[in-house]
Amino acid sequence: MNQKIVLITGCSSGIGLALAVRIAKDEKKRFIVYATMRNLGKAEALMEAAGRTLGRTLVIKQLDVCNEDSIKACVASLPDGKLDILISNAGMGLVGPIECQSIEEMKAVMDTNFFGLVRLLKEILPDMKKRKSGHIVVISSVMGIQGILFNDVYAASKFAVEGFCESMAVQALRFNLNISLIEPGPVVTEFEHKVYEEGMKTDLSKADKVTADMFTNIYMKNFKQIYESLGQTPEDIAEHTHKIITMDNPPFRHQTNTLYTPMTTLKYADPNGDLPIDTFYKMVFEHDKVFNASLNFLKLLRWRTRKSFAIDKDKSNS
Ligand SMILES: NC(=O)C1=CN([C@@H]2O[C@H](COP(=O)(O)OP(=O)(O)OC[C@H]3O[C@@H](n4cnc5c(N)ncnc54)[C@H](OP(=O)(O)O)[C@@H]3O)[C@@H](O)[C@H]2O)C=CC1
Ligand SMILES: CC1=C(/C=C/C(C)=C/C=C/C(C)=C/C=O)C(C)(C)CCC1
């Protein structure tokens, strides 16, 4: 059987782990998954979840997306150095007022979320072009389309990813290559816990009172509720992504959360860009009145966008 070689980054937890397991357990055994992580000391959870696929359709390798040598070594160790599907998933979050963040912290986010993808592509694209075959799948975010309060740098890193892929997609087409951006809304993973814990530790002494109050009493206070009401599981994202990589004509963009889509649609509905910003403003500053109403509104609006989500017709989150 001609099995496709899939390489996934950031498989020690969350979406990467769920993706590796889902694809390795493909019913038709169509894939051999190279599940990579920067620290092999964290492989236990994946090994346990992989079960019988370990050493058969799932192989664990070291890869740090911030280290070119580690990327080269990992790609060189693949059978014939060939890769059919890259899933660029490794990433990190950052929340808070920019006055309280160092440039170093911001660079780490850009280095991982954006340059991590660029480093991977520099390594694998030439061979994919030569063979005129390959699929590049990128775990982006709804924040690659629409920024969210206090996620300035994280959203910028995902916008960078989207701009990069949008530009690259035209060239890719010329070589018969596919690029797909997966755009989840909130997903309940370590990401949520890390961002929450780090957010709670933010030293707000450099922020003015209004900003500090907005971050603590609006953003952080409602953070967990957002994940509880909108959050998907990493397995949901893995299921969506598995469908994307098994399609003959995979889409360039795919949002996984029908509940969130109305918020991103606002952006396309108003070329002036005011509609999403006004709507977010109301959600944030009139949140006592409209916060729960907004969530209900999103749920009501969902049926309108459901049609464009034929892919999750049978598996939509509730
Ligand atoms: N959770 C969410 O709400 C959403 C997440 N996303 C995106 O999904 C992706 C996965 O995040 P998620 O599973 O939620 O979060 P997790 O924190 O659970 O997983 C992130 C993974 O990325 C890895 N990673 C971080 N830096 C590097 C690096 N330099 N090299 C290799 N691996 C690295 C982490 O490894 P380690 O354990 O060593 O730190 C970990 O395996 C990210 O790109 C994120 O932006 C998108 C939308 C929503
Ligand atoms: C907490 C919070 C908000 C929304 C947060 C959201 C929607 C977070 C999404 C996170 C994602 C998608 C992360 C990964 O990419 C609002 C609505 C601004 C109101 C104020 C409090």
Side-chain angles (χ1 to χ4, degrees):
M1 193 198 307
N2 209 0
Q3 287 169 307
K4 285 190 173 165
I5 303 294
V6 184
L7 187 146
I8 311 172
T9 62
C11 296
S12 68
S13 63
I15 298 172
L17 190 154
L19 272 170
V21 173
R22 176 64 188 93
I23 299 170
K25 290 189 178 169
D26 175 63
E27 302 73 12
K28 297 181 186 161
K29 293 195 169 50
R30 285 169 285 190
F31 307 103
I32 303 283
V33 177
Y34 285 82
T36 71
M37 58 188 76
R38 60 177 162 178
N39 176 3
L40 288 175
K42 287 191 176 178
E44 207 172 308
L46 175 61
M47 284 162 82
E48 202 171 303
R52 285 175 50 78
T53 64
L54 192 63
R56 292 186 167 92
T57 52
L58 189 146
V59 181
I60 301 177
K61 295 256 176 196
Q62 196 275 342
L63 190 156
D64 180 342
V65 299
C66 295
N67 182 321
E68 276 180 63
D69 292 341
S70 120
I71 295 175
K72 280 186 203 301
C74 185
V75 172
S77 76
L78 301 176
D80 299 327
K82 277 198 304 204
L83 184 56
D84 298 301
I85 302 172
L86 167 72
I87 307 187
S88 171
N89 163 76
M92 62 187 292
L94 180 67
V95 296
I98 58 159
E99 302 89 310
C100 311
Q101 296 165 344
S102 68
I103 294 290
E104 286 314 308
E105 279 177 287
M106 299 180 190
K107 279 186 177 171
V109 175
M110 293 305 291
D111 199 32
T112 308
N113 297 3
F114 175 61
F115 286 107
L117 167 67
V118 178
R119 284 186 197 97
L120 286 163
L121 284 197
K122 276 175 72 69
E123 195 53 35
I124 64 145
L125 205 56
D127 184 60
M128 281 187 172
K129 280 178 169 179
K130 207 177 342 170
R131 292 189 292 122
K132 292 202 166 43
S133 165
H135 191 176
I136 294 144
V137 180
V138 183
I139 308 298
S140 175
S141 166
V142 290
M143 270 197 255
I145 312 170
Q146 174 67 54
I148 290 178
L149 179 75
F150 291 125
N151 280 272
D152 318 81
V153 175
Y154 176 74
S157 75
K158 293 294 184 180
F159 268 59
V161 161
E162 297 247 346
F164 177 82
C165 289
E166 222 171 72
S167 308
M168 186 67 76
V170 177
Q171 190 195 139
L173 211 56
R174 190 85 180 130
F175 291 92
N176 194 37
L177 308 179
N178 288 305
I179 302 184
S180 299
L181 290 160
I182 310 291
E183 299 168 327
V187 185
V188 180
T189 63
E190 288 301 308
F191 182 99
E192 177 200 353
H193 306 300
K194 288 180 227 169
V195 163
Y196 185 77
E197 294 305 321
E198 288 302 313
M200 290 304 279
K201 280 196 257 167
T202 308
D203 172 10
L204 291 166
S205 59
K206 286 201 179 117
D208 61 274
K209 197 176 163 319
V210 176
T211 307
D213 179 63
M214 209 192 301
F215 181 59
T216 307
N217 296 319
I218 299 181
Y219 189 80
M220 292 310 287
K221 199 169 145 202
N222 288 296
F223 185 86
K224 288 197 167 164
Q225 199 201 336
I226 288 284
Y227 273 82
E228 267 162 34
S229 46
L230 293 181
Q232 288 183 291
T233 64
E235 289 74 24
D236 276 333
I237 312 307
E239 199 55 45
H240 279 256
T241 309
H242 176 264
K243 283 187 181 150
I244 296 289
I245 64 167
T246 50
M247 287 168 89
D248 287 337
N249 290 303
F252 176 64
R253 285 202 163 84
H254 176 72
Q255 287 186 38
T256 63
N257 193 333
T258 53
L259 261 180
Y260 204 92
T261 308
M263 287 310 291
T264 48
T265 306
L266 296 176
K267 178 155 185 170
Y268 300 112
D270 176 15
N272 289 329
D274 295 328
L275 190 54
I277 293 173
D278 288 349
T279 307
F280 268 110
Y281 188 90
K282 289 198 178 79
M283 279 183 91
V284 172
F285 294 105
E286 294 168 27
H287 69 287
D288 285 342
K289 273 180 279 161
V290 296
F291 193 68
N292 285 322
S294 305
L295 290 175
N296 288 332
F297 180 59
L298 289 179
K299 285 182 185 165
L300 274 172
L301 273 178
R302 178 158 61 150
W303 68 269
R304 283 187 169 276
T305 41
R306 193 180 284 274
K307 264 194 193 153
S308 60
F309 279 80
I311 197 163
D312 59 281
K313 217 167 37 199
D314 50 339
K315 270 243 155 210
S316 62
N317 64 314
S318 52

PDB file of all heavy atoms in Angstrom, residues 191-220:
ATOM      1  N   PHE A 191      -2.949  25.073  26.026  1.00  0.00           N
ATOM      2  CA  PHE A 191      -2.872  26.460  25.567  1.00  0.00           C
ATOM      3  C   PHE A 191      -3.726  27.347  26.478  1.00  0.00           C
ATOM      4  O   PHE A 191      -3.267  28.376  26.967  1.00  0.00           O
ATOM      5  CB  PHE A 191      -3.379  26.506  24.125  1.00  0.00           C
ATOM      6  CG  PHE A 191      -3.341  27.859  23.464  1.00  0.00           C
ATOM      7  CD1 PHE A 191      -2.299  28.185  22.618  1.00  0.00           C
ATOM      8  CD2 PHE A 191      -4.362  28.789  23.639  1.00  0.00           C
ATOM      9  CE1 PHE A 191      -2.268  29.430  21.967  1.00  0.00           C
ATOM     10  CE2 PHE A 191      -4.341  30.018  23.008  1.00  0.00           C
ATOM     11  CZ  PHE A 191      -3.284  30.334  22.160  1.00  0.00           C
ATOM     12  N   GLU A 192      -4.979  26.927  26.696  1.00  0.00           N
ATOM     13  CA  GLU A 192      -5.892  27.709  27.542  1.00  0.00           C
ATOM     14  C   GLU A 192      -5.296  27.875  28.940  1.00  0.00           C
ATOM     15  O   GLU A 192      -5.250  28.981  29.475  1.00  0.00           O
ATOM     16  CB  GLU A 192      -7.259  27.010  27.635  1.00  0.00           C
ATOM     17  CG  GLU A 192      -8.216  27.746  28.552  1.00  0.00           C
ATOM     18  CD  GLU A 192      -9.394  26.902  29.066  1.00  0.00           C
ATOM     19  OE1 GLU A 192      -9.574  25.763  28.617  1.00  0.00           O
ATOM     20  OE2 GLU A 192     -10.114  27.413  29.940  1.00  0.00           O
ATOM     21  N   HIS A 193      -4.805  26.759  29.526  1.00  0.00           N
ATOM     22  CA  HIS A 193      -4.280  26.819  30.895  1.00  0.00           C
ATOM     23  C   HIS A 193      -3.033  27.694  30.964  1.00  0.00           C
ATOM     24  O   HIS A 193      -2.906  28.524  31.861  1.00  0.00           O
ATOM     25  CB  HIS A 193      -3.982  25.408  31.421  1.00  0.00           C
ATOM     26  CG  HIS A 193      -5.180  24.500  31.298  1.00  0.00           C
ATOM     27  ND1 HIS A 193      -6.381  24.780  31.923  1.00  0.00           N
ATOM     28  CD2 HIS A 193      -5.369  23.365  30.600  1.00  0.00           C
ATOM     29  CE1 HIS A 193      -7.259  23.841  31.608  1.00  0.00           C
ATOM     30  NE2 HIS A 193      -6.679  22.975  30.808  1.00  0.00           N
ATOM     31  N   LYS A 194      -2.118  27.501  29.971  1.00  0.00           N
ATOM     32  CA  LYS A 194      -0.870  28.276  29.982  1.00  0.00           C
ATOM     33  C   LYS A 194      -1.185  29.770  29.857  1.00  0.00           C
ATOM     34  O   LYS A 194      -0.663  30.595  30.603  1.00  0.00           O
ATOM     35  CB  LYS A 194       0.052  27.856  28.821  1.00  0.00           C
ATOM     36  CG  LYS A 194       0.696  26.485  28.988  1.00  0.00           C
ATOM     37  CD  LYS A 194       1.590  26.182  27.777  1.00  0.00           C
ATOM     38  CE  LYS A 194       1.357  24.784  27.242  1.00  0.00           C
ATOM     39  NZ  LYS A 194       1.960  24.476  25.954  1.00  0.00           N
ATOM     40  N   VAL A 195      -2.063  30.108  28.900  1.00  0.00           N
ATOM     41  CA  VAL A 195      -2.385  31.520  28.663  1.00  0.00           C
ATOM     42  C   VAL A 195      -3.065  32.115  29.915  1.00  0.00           C
ATOM     43  O   VAL A 195      -2.752  33.233  30.335  1.00  0.00           O
ATOM     44  CB  VAL A 195      -3.286  31.659  27.404  1.00  0.00           C
ATOM     45  CG1 VAL A 195      -3.984  33.004  27.357  1.00  0.00           C
ATOM     46  CG2 VAL A 195      -2.448  31.466  26.143  1.00  0.00           C
ATOM     47  N   TYR A 196      -3.943  31.342  30.522  1.00  0.00           N
ATOM     48  CA  TYR A 196      -4.649  31.832  31.713  1.00  0.00           C
ATOM     49  C   TYR A 196      -3.660  32.053  32.865  1.00  0.00           C
ATOM     50  O   TYR A 196      -3.645  33.118  33.485  1.00  0.00           O
ATOM     51  CB  TYR A 196      -5.755  30.847  32.131  1.00  0.00           C
ATOM     52  CG  TYR A 196      -6.585  31.368  33.291  1.00  0.00           C
ATOM     53  CD1 TYR A 196      -7.559  32.337  33.085  1.00  0.00           C
ATOM     54  CD2 TYR A 196      -6.358  30.905  34.584  1.00  0.00           C
ATOM     55  CE1 TYR A 196      -8.303  32.834  34.141  1.00  0.00           C
ATOM     56  CE2 TYR A 196      -7.096  31.405  35.653  1.00  0.00           C
ATOM     57  CZ  TYR A 196      -8.071  32.357  35.424  1.00  0.00           C
ATOM     58  OH  TYR A 196      -8.804  32.866  36.470  1.00  0.00           O
ATOM     59  N   GLU A 197      -2.820  31.021  33.128  1.00  0.00           N
ATOM     60  CA  GLU A 197      -1.856  31.123  34.245  1.00  0.00           C
ATOM     61  C   GLU A 197      -0.910  32.307  34.015  1.00  0.00           C
ATOM     62  O   GLU A 197      -0.674  33.100  34.921  1.00  0.00           O
ATOM     63  CB  GLU A 197      -1.017  29.843  34.378  1.00  0.00           C
ATOM     64  CG  GLU A 197      -1.812  28.599  34.788  1.00  0.00           C
ATOM     65  CD  GLU A 197      -2.608  28.797  36.080  1.00  0.00           C
ATOM     66  OE1 GLU A 197      -2.092  29.451  36.998  1.00  0.00           O
ATOM     67  OE2 GLU A 197      -3.765  28.319  36.135  1.00  0.00           O
ATOM     68  N   GLU A 198      -0.359  32.413  32.787  1.00  0.00           N
ATOM     69  CA  GLU A 198       0.571  33.513  32.498  1.00  0.00           C
ATOM     70  C   GLU A 198      -0.153  34.859  32.576  1.00  0.00           C
ATOM     71  O   GLU A 198       0.380  35.828  33.116  1.00  0.00           O
ATOM     72  CB  GLU A 198       1.197  33.344  31.095  1.00  0.00           C
ATOM     73  CG  GLU A 198       2.207  32.222  30.992  1.00  0.00           C
ATOM     74  CD  GLU A 198       3.368  32.370  31.958  1.00  0.00           C
ATOM     75  OE1 GLU A 198       3.937  33.473  32.046  1.00  0.00           O
ATOM     76  OE2 GLU A 198       3.689  31.368  32.647  1.00  0.00           O
ATOM     77  N   GLY A 199      -1.373  34.894  32.065  1.00  0.00           N
ATOM     78  CA  GLY A 199      -2.168  36.123  32.099  1.00  0.00           C
ATOM     79  C   GLY A 199      -2.400  36.588  33.539  1.00  0.00           C
ATOM     80  O   GLY A 199      -2.267  37.781  33.850  1.00  0.00           O
ATOM     81  N   MET A 200      -2.686  35.627  34.418  1.00  0.00           N
ATOM     82  CA  MET A 200      -2.948  35.967  35.820  1.00  0.00           C
ATOM     83  C   MET A 200      -1.678  36.488  36.510  1.00  0.00           C
ATOM     84  O   MET A 200      -1.763  37.231  37.479  1.00  0.00           O
ATOM     85  CB  MET A 200      -3.476  34.735  36.587  1.00  0.00           C
ATOM     86  CG  MET A 200      -4.881  34.313  36.196  1.00  0.00           C
ATOM     87  SD  MET A 200      -6.115  35.617  36.351  1.00  0.00           S
ATOM     88  CE  MET A 200      -6.458  35.547  38.093  1.00  0.00           C
ATOM     89  N   LYS A 201      -0.500  36.071  35.983  1.00  0.00           N
ATOM     90  CA  LYS A 201       0.771  36.486  36.609  1.00  0.00           C
ATOM     91  C   LYS A 201       1.275  37.831  36.065  1.00  0.00           C
ATOM     92  O   LYS A 201       2.314  38.323  36.491  1.00  0.00           O
ATOM     93  CB  LYS A 201       1.835  35.414  36.337  1.00  0.00           C
ATOM     94  CG  LYS A 201       1.726  34.209  37.278  1.00  0.00           C
ATOM     95  CD  LYS A 201       2.993  33.381  37.231  1.00  0.00           C
ATOM     96  CE  LYS A 201       2.784  32.145  36.394  1.00  0.00           C
ATOM     97  NZ  LYS A 201       3.929  31.394  36.003  1.00  0.00           N
ATOM     98  N   THR A 202       0.560  38.404  35.066  1.00  0.00           N
ATOM     99  CA  THR A 202       1.043  39.633  34.422  1.00  0.00           C
ATOM    100  C   THR A 202       1.300  40.739  35.453  1.00  0.00           C
ATOM    101  O   THR A 202       0.452  41.017  36.296  1.00  0.00           O
ATOM    102  CB  THR A 202       0.005  40.146  33.384  1.00  0.00           C
ATOM    103  OG1 THR A 202      -0.326  39.085  32.522  1.00  0.00           O
ATOM    104  CG2 THR A 202       0.524  41.321  32.586  1.00  0.00           C
ATOM    105  N   ASP A 203       2.486  41.343  35.328  1.00  0.00           N
ATOM    106  CA  ASP A 203       2.810  42.482  36.194  1.00  0.00           C
ATOM    107  C   ASP A 203       2.187  43.728  35.558  1.00  0.00           C
ATOM    108  O   ASP A 203       2.693  44.248  34.563  1.00  0.00           O
ATOM    109  CB  ASP A 203       4.334  42.619  36.297  1.00  0.00           C
ATOM    110  CG  ASP A 203       4.740  43.896  37.034  1.00  0.00           C
ATOM    111  OD1 ASP A 203       3.847  44.571  37.616  1.00  0.00           O
ATOM    112  OD2 ASP A 203       5.944  44.227  37.011  1.00  0.00           O
ATOM    113  N   LEU A 204       1.071  44.153  36.138  1.00  0.00           N
ATOM    114  CA  LEU A 204       0.297  45.247  35.526  1.00  0.00           C
ATOM    115  C   LEU A 204       0.767  46.628  35.978  1.00  0.00           C
ATOM    116  O   LEU A 204       0.134  47.636  35.645  1.00  0.00           O
ATOM    117  CB  LEU A 204      -1.197  45.058  35.825  1.00  0.00           C
ATOM    118  CG  LEU A 204      -1.851  43.847  35.120  1.00  0.00           C
ATOM    119  CD1 LEU A 204      -3.209  43.525  35.720  1.00  0.00           C
ATOM    120  CD2 LEU A 204      -1.982  44.098  33.617  1.00  0.00           C
ATOM    121  N   SER A 205       1.923  46.682  36.695  1.00  0.00           N
ATOM    122  CA  SER A 205       2.359  47.979  37.231  1.00  0.00           C
ATOM    123  C   SER A 205       2.712  48.974  36.119  1.00  0.00           C
ATOM    124  O   SER A 205       2.681  50.189  36.344  1.00  0.00           O
ATOM    125  CB  SER A 205       3.539  47.792  38.186  1.00  0.00           C
ATOM    126  OG  SER A 205       4.602  47.187  37.499  1.00  0.00           O
ATOM    127  N   LYS A 206       3.042  48.460  34.918  1.00  0.00           N
ATOM    128  CA  LYS A 206       3.408  49.379  33.816  1.00  0.00           C
ATOM    129  C   LYS A 206       2.180  49.849  33.041  1.00  0.00           C
ATOM    130  O   LYS A 206       2.285  50.662  32.121  1.00  0.00           O
ATOM    131  CB  LYS A 206       4.384  48.703  32.864  1.00  0.00           C
ATOM    132  CG  LYS A 206       5.780  48.583  33.449  1.00  0.00           C
ATOM    133  CD  LYS A 206       6.804  48.399  32.341  1.00  0.00           C
ATOM    134  CE  LYS A 206       8.197  48.305  32.916  1.00  0.00           C
ATOM    135  NZ  LYS A 206       8.834  47.028  32.660  1.00  0.00           N
ATOM    136  N   ALA A 207       1.009  49.304  33.358  1.00  0.00           N
ATOM    137  CA  ALA A 207      -0.205  49.700  32.623  1.00  0.00           C
ATOM    138  C   ALA A 207      -0.966  50.759  33.436  1.00  0.00           C
ATOM    139  O   ALA A 207      -0.908  50.766  34.670  1.00  0.00           O
ATOM    140  CB  ALA A 207      -1.090  48.489  32.401  1.00  0.00           C
ATOM    141  N   ASP A 208      -1.672  51.646  32.737  1.00  0.00           N
ATOM    142  CA  ASP A 208      -2.511  52.623  33.441  1.00  0.00           C
ATOM    143  C   ASP A 208      -3.696  51.889  34.062  1.00  0.00           C
ATOM    144  O   ASP A 208      -3.981  50.726  33.736  1.00  0.00           O
ATOM    145  CB  ASP A 208      -2.987  53.696  32.455  1.00  0.00           C
ATOM    146  CG  ASP A 208      -3.824  53.077  31.359  1.00  0.00           C
ATOM    147  OD1 ASP A 208      -3.233  52.612  30.351  1.00  0.00           O
ATOM    148  OD2 ASP A 208      -5.046  52.984  31.520  1.00  0.00           O
ATOM    149  N   LYS A 209      -4.414  52.604  34.931  1.00  0.00           N
ATOM    150  CA  LYS A 209      -5.478  51.963  35.712  1.00  0.00           C
ATOM    151  C   LYS A 209      -6.614  51.422  34.821  1.00  0.00           C
ATOM    152  O   LYS A 209      -7.130  50.327  35.038  1.00  0.00           O
ATOM    153  CB  LYS A 209      -6.028  52.985  36.724  1.00  0.00           C
ATOM    154  CG  LYS A 209      -6.813  52.337  37.839  1.00  0.00           C
ATOM    155  CD  LYS A 209      -7.266  53.351  38.861  1.00  0.00           C
ATOM    156  CE  LYS A 209      -8.378  52.812  39.754  1.00  0.00           C
ATOM    157  NZ  LYS A 209      -9.383  52.040  39.067  1.00  0.00           N
ATOM    158  N   VAL A 210      -6.969  52.208  33.808  1.00  0.00           N
ATOM    159  CA  VAL A 210      -8.096  51.807  32.942  1.00  0.00           C
ATOM    160  C   VAL A 210      -7.747  50.505  32.201  1.00  0.00           C
ATOM    161  O   VAL A 210      -8.538  49.560  32.146  1.00  0.00           O
ATOM    162  CB  VAL A 210      -8.436  52.928  31.920  1.00  0.00           C
ATOM    163  CG1 VAL A 210      -9.532  52.497  30.948  1.00  0.00           C
ATOM    164  CG2 VAL A 210      -8.860  54.193  32.650  1.00  0.00           C
ATOM    165  N   THR A 211      -6.504  50.442  31.658  1.00  0.00           N
ATOM    166  CA  THR A 211      -6.071  49.252  30.912  1.00  0.00           C
ATOM    167  C   THR A 211      -5.978  48.041  31.842  1.00  0.00           C
ATOM    168  O   THR A 211      -6.461  46.944  31.506  1.00  0.00           O
ATOM    169  CB  THR A 211      -4.696  49.508  30.249  1.00  0.00           C
ATOM    170  OG1 THR A 211      -4.785  50.709  29.486  1.00  0.00           O
ATOM    171  CG2 THR A 211      -4.278  48.374  29.351  1.00  0.00           C
ATOM    172  N   ALA A 212      -5.349  48.249  33.005  1.00  0.00           N
ATOM    173  CA  ALA A 212      -5.182  47.141  33.957  1.00  0.00           C
ATOM    174  C   ALA A 212      -6.545  46.604  34.384  1.00  0.00           C
ATOM    175  O   ALA A 212      -6.759  45.394  34.443  1.00  0.00           O
ATOM    176  CB  ALA A 212      -4.389  47.623  35.173  1.00  0.00           C
ATOM    177  N   ASP A 213      -7.475  47.507  34.614  1.00  0.00           N
ATOM    178  CA  ASP A 213      -8.818  47.112  35.043  1.00  0.00           C
ATOM    179  C   ASP A 213      -9.540  46.337  33.924  1.00  0.00           C
ATOM    180  O   ASP A 213     -10.200  45.326  34.177  1.00  0.00           O
ATOM    181  CB  ASP A 213      -9.599  48.386  35.428  1.00  0.00           C
ATOM    182  CG  ASP A 213     -11.000  48.043  35.863  1.00  0.00           C
ATOM    183  OD1 ASP A 213     -11.124  47.333  36.878  1.00  0.00           O
ATOM    184  OD2 ASP A 213     -11.969  48.454  35.177  1.00  0.00           O
ATOM    185  N   MET A 214      -9.359  46.821  32.690  1.00  0.00           N
ATOM    186  CA  MET A 214      -9.985  46.164  31.531  1.00  0.00           C
ATOM    187  C   MET A 214      -9.454  44.729  31.385  1.00  0.00           C
ATOM    188  O   MET A 214     -10.198  43.794  31.139  1.00  0.00           O
ATOM    189  CB  MET A 214      -9.586  46.972  30.280  1.00  0.00           C
ATOM    190  CG  MET A 214     -10.577  46.935  29.146  1.00  0.00           C
ATOM    191  SD  MET A 214      -9.828  47.624  27.644  1.00  0.00           S
ATOM    192  CE  MET A 214      -9.365  49.255  28.090  1.00  0.00           C
ATOM    193  N   PHE A 215      -8.143  44.585  31.582  1.00  0.00           N
ATOM    194  CA  PHE A 215      -7.535  43.255  31.420  1.00  0.00           C
ATOM    195  C   PHE A 215      -8.004  42.307  32.544  1.00  0.00           C
ATOM    196  O   PHE A 215      -8.439  41.187  32.273  1.00  0.00           O
ATOM    197  CB  PHE A 215      -6.000  43.380  31.425  1.00  0.00           C
ATOM    198  CG  PHE A 215      -5.312  42.055  31.240  1.00  0.00           C
ATOM    199  CD1 PHE A 215      -5.542  41.293  30.096  1.00  0.00           C
ATOM    200  CD2 PHE A 215      -4.439  41.539  32.205  1.00  0.00           C
ATOM    201  CE1 PHE A 215      -4.918  40.050  29.915  1.00  0.00           C
ATOM    202  CE2 PHE A 215      -3.825  40.303  32.023  1.00  0.00           C
ATOM    203  CZ  PHE A 215      -4.061  39.559  30.883  1.00  0.00           C
ATOM    204  N   THR A 216      -7.958  42.805  33.777  1.00  0.00           N
ATOM    205  CA  THR A 216      -8.296  41.933  34.911  1.00  0.00           C
ATOM    206  C   THR A 216      -9.795  41.665  34.993  1.00  0.00           C
ATOM    207  O   THR A 216     -10.224  40.519  35.106  1.00  0.00           O
ATOM    208  CB  THR A 216      -7.834  42.603  36.236  1.00  0.00           C
ATOM    209  OG1 THR A 216      -6.466  42.937  36.083  1.00  0.00           O
ATOM    210  CG2 THR A 216      -8.017  41.672  37.426  1.00  0.00           C
ATOM    211  N   ASN A 217     -10.573  42.744  34.936  1.00  0.00           N
ATOM    212  CA  ASN A 217     -11.994  42.588  35.264  1.00  0.00           C
ATOM    213  C   ASN A 217     -12.897  42.310  34.069  1.00  0.00           C
ATOM    214  O   ASN A 217     -14.072  41.995  34.260  1.00  0.00           O
ATOM    215  CB  ASN A 217     -12.486  43.817  36.029  1.00  0.00           C
ATOM    216  CG  ASN A 217     -11.759  43.921  37.356  1.00  0.00           C
ATOM    217  OD1 ASN A 217     -11.554  42.899  38.017  1.00  0.00           O
ATOM    218  ND2 ASN A 217     -11.322  45.124  37.702  1.00  0.00           N
ATOM    219  N   ILE A 218     -12.355  42.429  32.884  1.00  0.00           N
ATOM    220  CA  ILE A 218     -13.172  42.046  31.726  1.00  0.00           C
ATOM    221  C   ILE A 218     -12.544  40.826  31.046  1.00  0.00           C
ATOM    222  O   ILE A 218     -13.143  39.760  31.002  1.00  0.00           O
ATOM    223  CB  ILE A 218     -13.358  43.218  30.735  1.00  0.00           C
ATOM    224  CG1 ILE A 218     -14.090  44.365  31.460  1.00  0.00           C
ATOM    225  CG2 ILE A 218     -14.153  42.750  29.510  1.00  0.00           C
ATOM    226  CD1 ILE A 218     -14.372  45.572  30.611  1.00  0.00           C
ATOM    227  N   TYR A 219     -11.291  40.986  30.569  1.00  0.00           N
ATOM    228  CA  TYR A 219     -10.712  39.880  29.786  1.00  0.00           C
ATOM    229  C   TYR A 219     -10.506  38.630  30.632  1.00  0.00           C
ATOM    230  O   TYR A 219     -11.077  37.577  30.354  1.00  0.00           O
ATOM    231  CB  TYR A 219      -9.391  40.303  29.112  1.00  0.00           C
ATOM    232  CG  TYR A 219      -8.942  39.240  28.142  1.00  0.00           C
ATOM    233  CD1 TYR A 219      -9.505  39.149  26.876  1.00  0.00           C
ATOM    234  CD2 TYR A 219      -8.007  38.276  28.520  1.00  0.00           C
ATOM    235  CE1 TYR A 219      -9.154  38.137  26.005  1.00  0.00           C
ATOM    236  CE2 TYR A 219      -7.644  37.267  27.650  1.00  0.00           C
ATOM    237  CZ  TYR A 219      -8.223  37.203  26.396  1.00  0.00           C
ATOM    238  OH  TYR A 219      -7.877  36.189  25.538  1.00  0.00           O
ATOM    239  N   MET A 220      -9.697  38.744  31.685  1.00  0.00           N
ATOM    240  CA  MET A 220      -9.376  37.549  32.473  1.00  0.00           C
ATOM    241  C   MET A 220     -10.611  36.995  33.195  1.00  0.00           C
ATOM    242  O   MET A 220     -10.771  35.793  33.314  1.00  0.00           O
ATOM    243  CB  MET A 220      -8.248  37.848  33.486  1.00  0.00           C
ATOM    244  CG  MET A 220      -6.907  38.116  32.854  1.00  0.00           C
ATOM    245  SD  MET A 220      -6.388  36.862  31.627  1.00  0.00           S
ATOM    246  CE  MET A 220      -5.978  35.484  32.673  1.00  0.00           C
TER     247      MET A 220
END
